[in-house]
Amino acid sequence: MNLLRNPKIAKRLSEDIRLSVMGRTRLMEVCGTHTVAIFKSGLRSLLPPEITLLSGPGCPVCVTAKADVDRAVKIAGQKDVILTTFGDMMRVPGSGTSLGEERAKGRDIRVVYSPSECLGLSAENPEKKVVFFATGFETTSPSVSATLISAMRLKLENFMVFSVHKLVPPALRALLSSAESRIDGFILPGHVSTIIGSRPYGFLASEFRTPSVISGFEPVDILEAICMLLRQIKAGRPDVEIQYKSAVRPGGNPKAVSLLNEVFVPSASEWRGIGVIPESGLKLRPEFSALDAERHFDLSLPSSSPSDDASGCLCGEVLRGISIPTDCPLFGSSCTPEYPVGACMVSAEGSCSAYYNYGGTSG
Amino acid sequence: MHSLIKDILAPSLDIKTFDDSARLRVEAESLAFTTDSYVVDPIFFPGGDIGSLAVNGTVNDLAMVGADPLFMTVGLIIEEGFELHALKEILSSMRNAADKAGVRIVAGDTKVVGKGKADRIFINTSGIGVIPVGVHISGSNARPGDRVILSGPIGNHGIAVIAEREGFKFNPPVLSDTRPLNLLSKNMLSVTKNINAMRDPTRGGLGTTLKEIAVSSGVGVLIREDAIPIEAGVRGACELLGYDPLYVANEGVLVAFVPEKDAEGVLSAMRKNPFGRNSALIGEAVAEHRGNVVLETSIGGRRLVEMLSGEQLPRIC
């Protein structure tokens, strides 16, 4: 652990970076945990000015669409429903209200730390329907799969999942396909990659000629990943490399992946600020339809629901790496972690909240 | 009501007179006077409870301006149906805490409210202390050149309470650091009266407290991440839950700004006190970047430390 925070190693790596950078370079750290680690360690202060680090769409709270929050609110408003979700989702604004506000009004909405807690809740409340609002990437979806399989085995009839799970690789494809993209390399998420491995990112190099490195979360890991990216750029040989070798194998975790595939199937999904991306979400397979909240409840919304950008919030541009949080007119004035307008300000791992809490760009 | 005060509150807290007010005799040039209310949930947590917290909190508020705490009052707001044995336990914990700090509880009051009108028990304490002549400690008195001294590891209280509330089990358990700091501050003041600023970083943690001092004193503050003591259990819990230990609440550490020439002496006096055994020099006040706290990180990077805003939420991915 201490080696990974060793100032001598950090200094050597940052000198390597200084020597190998060739002009303006825009690198995107996809994962919110990386964003926070970068700010917390003051890593930017060790980088040459030519390197810009952009925060990507890797914070599950930030990319959950307003419409999906509205749907969760709608489910919570049904008779005899207990809606459960992860803590961060409570404060995410939908188009009108948040789950937290709805709870204050008396709706039965509960925070869980693990989806499996919902099984106990279902057994204790046989007269109620327990609906888990499932957000998150490939890191969380396998545990939801396992919970659904257990619920099926236990023949629980009052447990359901409303899945808005997202997949990382299709979002990166969408970012690179957009004309406005100016990303020279990706620092890929460590946790997601322990599940899916490095192969699903192969298209970054083969189709888009964009270098990428799967990185660990210690400051020295991230510096080394940046070194590796710069070497790929310099050599003109884009690749998918693994820096986080202690945890990530090219084939990922086959058991977790097969668990995922047993329960879920990829489907189009709406990302806040980005829009609908094909094959970027996870829906329940027909075999699990009895546990699928989407089949159980009418989740259609009034067509007058305001669009994502109505407030002037730049979360979408920030998630796409076009703007940085301080470009947003609402940043720090009408949008703060205490009173967030956009989802990027809600989660501790959202890029706006990281910029706010760690003093703007000076981190 | 009569029996609650006469039979339980008064004997538990050693309150001897039942007039409408306590009569106090105090000789001093200046007094410190403070009040605080305690609504912690859960009321019992590893390392303490709402009773010891309520006494230590007020004792520490007095100690942070250099005052010697003398007298304290206690007000209890109790929800109907609250268990008597829990009340007795809390009162005995208050009495113990007061004895340890050497402060006398001289007046008390209880009110019982209907079910659902309060959450089990709320406690208010007020305290009076004497400030020694020549002591002028204030959050706005820090000067460039001052050394920043921290009395012990940070983050224990916040993690202990969160763990109890959310049912997390840490092995070994993280204990709250709730404790009186008045003897420690007395030891410090016996070395020099020139302590410029002193605070106990409670809600908002060390980061928020240092930023407040930087802003009110108009100085820059530079601290070194590696110098800040943090117990392994607290560090692990913070990494697990996505918290920054700089913003986790404490109830038993203080941070002081001391002129350079007195810093060594104050530090060694602190280390002789059991509550200051792990005291550390963590940085200094500087004339640059006034109003800002800069943290030199373990890897040699630098970043700003801002005030905590909103809540720290557990991460979900």
Side-chain angles (χ1 to χ4, degrees):
Chain A
M1 183 67 102
N2 281 343
L3 264 189
L4 294 172
R5 290 183 183 171
N6 182 318
K8 278 190 193 135
I9 300 179
K11 198 159 175 231
R12 219 176 53 216
L13 287 168
S14 71
E15 251 144 45
D16 271 4
I17 291 172
R18 225 176 284 276
L19 292 174
S20 41
V21 69
M22 308 191 311
R24 268 186 73 84
T25 309
R26 292 162 60 90
L27 305 177
M28 175 178 276
E29 86 273 359
V30 175
C31 171
T33 313
H34 279 145
T35 303
V36 171
I38 288 165
F39 273 106
K40 242 183 174 168
S41 60
L43 194 143
R44 277 188 169 81
S45 67
L46 299 175
L47 297 179
E50 293 93 326
I51 295 184
T52 307
L53 293 179
L54 304 163
S55 307
C59 151
V61 166
C62 307
V63 299
T64 301
K66 269 188 185 177
D68 286 329
V69 175
D70 292 347
R71 290 187 181 99
V73 165
K74 196 172 173 186
I75 295 174
Q78 310 289 313
K79 206 168 162 281
D80 292 330
V81 163
I82 302 174
L83 188 91
T84 57
T85 191
F86 293 128
D88 280 15
M89 288 311 298
M90 295 301 281
R91 297 171 65 234
V92 180
S95 55
T97 171
S98 68
L99 290 171
E101 283 170 44
E102 291 299 303
R103 180 168 70 174
K105 282 187 216 153
R107 302 289 187 212
D108 195 347
I109 302 174
R110 305 186 194 183
V111 170
V112 292
Y113 289 91
S114 151
S116 60
E117 286 172 47
C118 302
L119 297 183
L121 208 54
S122 304
E124 285 159 24
N125 296 277
E127 73 295 349
K128 304 251 172 132
K129 295 182 193 106
V130 176
V131 183
F132 180 58
F133 181 30
T135 58
F137 295 104
E138 292 91 329
T139 27
T140 33
S141 38
S143 65
V144 177
S145 293
T147 305
L148 281 162
I149 291 169
S150 303
M152 204 73 149
R153 270 193 210 128
L154 294 168
K155 299 197 169 57
L156 276 181
E157 283 173 4
N158 62 334
F159 171 65
M160 271 169 275
V161 167
F162 173 40
S163 166
V164 300
H165 280 305
K166 304 259 185 289
L167 299 169
V168 169
L172 303 182
R173 175 182 287 280
L175 287 181
L176 289 177
S177 306
S178 126
E180 57 197 10
S181 134
R182 287 186 295 130
I183 297 164
D184 300 310
F186 285 107
I187 299 169
L188 293 175
H191 294 144
V192 163
S193 307
T194 57
I195 308 289
I196 65 172
S198 60
R199 289 183 194 128
Y201 303 109
F203 70 94
L204 296 174
S206 60
E207 285 179 48
F208 294 95
R209 302 204 48 78
T210 303
S212 62
V213 175
I214 296 168
S215 171
F217 295 93
E218 292 295 333
V220 164
D221 286 331
I222 300 172
L223 283 172
E224 191 182 16
I226 294 173
C227 273
M228 293 163 77
L229 281 172
L230 294 178
R231 254 179 259 139
Q232 287 188 38
I233 293 172
K234 202 169 181 177
R237 265 204 307 272
D239 194 2
V240 186
E241 286 185 280
I242 302 173
Q243 181 279 333
Y244 196 24
K245 286 207 172 80
S246 56
V248 179
R249 279 162 300 181
N253 178 341
K255 217 171 159 186
V257 172
S258 81
L259 206 57
L260 257 186
N261 293 334
E262 190 180 337
V263 174
F264 291 111
V265 61
S267 69
S269 180
E270 185 185 350
W271 295 57
R272 188 180 289 239
I274 300 179
V276 176
I277 304 177
E279 306 277 289
S280 70
L282 290 174
K283 292 290 162 216
L284 273 66
R285 286 188 179 276
E287 301 90 285
F288 288 85
S289 62
L291 305 176
D292 190 347
E294 286 196 64
R295 290 173 198 257
H296 217 276
F297 298 98
D298 170 22
L299 296 184
S300 57
L301 298 173
S303 53
S304 58
S305 291
S307 75
D308 268 356
D309 301 339
S311 56
C313 159
L314 289 189
C315 269
E317 281 79 354
V318 169
L319 290 169
R320 297 200 299 273
I322 301 165
S323 301
I324 59 168
T326 45
D327 294 338
C328 179
L330 310 183
F331 179 84
S333 52
S334 57
C335 183
T336 63
E338 227 156 328
Y339 300 103
V341 176
C344 301
M345 195 59 104
V346 173
S347 164
E349 301 202 334
S351 36
C352 292
S353 114
Y355 268 72
Y356 189 91
N357 287 323
Y358 294 108
T361 54
S362 56
Chain B
M1 186 57 62
H2 186 257
S3 70
L4 188 59
I5 294 179
K6 275 234 153 129
D7 298 343
I8 296 171
L9 188 72
S12 299
L13 298 180
D14 196 23
I15 299 173
K16 294 201 170 73
T17 54
F18 291 92
D19 291 330
D20 283 348
S21 288
R23 291 179 189 81
L24 312 174
R25 199 180 293 277
V26 181
E27 278 167 40
E29 190 176 285
S30 80
L31 293 176
F33 184 26
T34 187
T35 187
D36 210 342
S37 299
Y38 298 84
V39 297
V40 64
D41 170 33
I43 54 178
F44 295 98
F45 45 82
D49 57 61
I50 190 170
S52 53
L53 192 69
V55 171
N56 292 335
T58 288
V59 164
N60 293 349
D61 282 349
L62 294 171
M64 289 309 102
V65 293
D68 213 353
L70 296 180
F71 305 110
M72 188 179 265
T73 65
V74 172
L76 305 176
I77 294 172
I78 302 169
E79 185 186 18
E80 192 184 347
F82 183 60
E83 310 87 338
L84 195 60
H85 69 89
L87 177 63
K88 284 183 175 165
E89 199 174 326
I90 288 167
L91 291 173
S92 113
S93 157
M94 295 187 87
R95 170 77 185 278
N96 280 338
D99 287 349
K100 267 189 203 154
V103 63
R104 271 186 55 212
I105 298 173
V106 292
D109 176 53
T110 58
K111 293 282 183 295
V112 176
V113 298
K115 195 116 191 115
K117 302 292 178 192
D119 188 4
R120 307 188 74 193
I121 184 168
F122 298 152
I123 302 181
N124 172 276
T125 53
S126 297
I128 291 180
V130 172
I131 301 178
V133 178
V135 171
H136 301 283
I137 302 172
S138 157
S140 40
N141 283 353
R143 298 280 169 271
D146 283 355
R147 294 302 186 250
V148 182
I149 300 174
L150 180 68
S151 71
I154 57 168
N156 287 60
H157 180 73
I159 295 298
V161 169
I162 283 287
E164 184 68 19
R165 177 155 64 210
E166 306 296 347
F168 299 133
K169 295 271 183 289
F170 297 114
N171 190 16
V174 172
L175 302 182
S176 166
D177 58 354
T178 179
R179 56 172 66 143
L181 295 170
N182 54 319
L183 295 179
L184 184 63
S185 68
K186 206 172 180 174
N187 295 155
M188 295 164 71
L189 286 166
S190 69
V191 177
T192 175
K193 286 183 176 166
N194 291 329
I195 291 172
N196 288 331
M198 188 153 70
R199 285 268 168 87
D200 61 330
T202 51
R203 272 178 66 179
L206 179 65
T208 303
T209 295
L210 289 175
K211 175 76 179 179
E212 280 165 1
I213 293 175
V215 170
S216 15
S217 298
V219 296
V221 176
L222 178 65
I223 52 170
R224 281 174 293 279
E225 188 171 35
D226 283 342
I228 300 169
I230 302 175
E231 283 178 8
V234 171
R235 194 185 292 281
C238 282
E239 291 194 358
L240 195 70
L241 300 170
Y243 293 154
D244 185 340
L246 280 179
Y247 298 107
V248 179
N250 310 282
E251 288 292 341
V253 292
L254 64 81
V255 62
F257 284 65
V258 181
E260 186 185 358
K261 66 175 173 52
D262 299 313
E264 271 310 317
V266 167
L267 192 59
S268 67
M270 288 171 79
R271 286 178 175 155
K272 283 182 196 134
N273 182 309
F275 292 165
R277 204 171 44 227
N278 297 311
S279 295
L281 187 68
I282 61 164
E284 55 265 337
V286 293
E288 297 80 38
H289 56 79
R290 287 175 187 267
N292 281 315
V293 180
V294 171
L295 176 76
E296 199 178 288
T297 65
S298 315
I299 59 159
R302 285 189 163 209
R303 71 159 163 98
L304 288 179
V305 176
E306 294 293 333
M307 268 184 220
L308 175 67
S309 81
E311 302 164 76
Q312 293 210 57
L313 291 165
R315 66 177 177 220
I316 67 170
C317 82

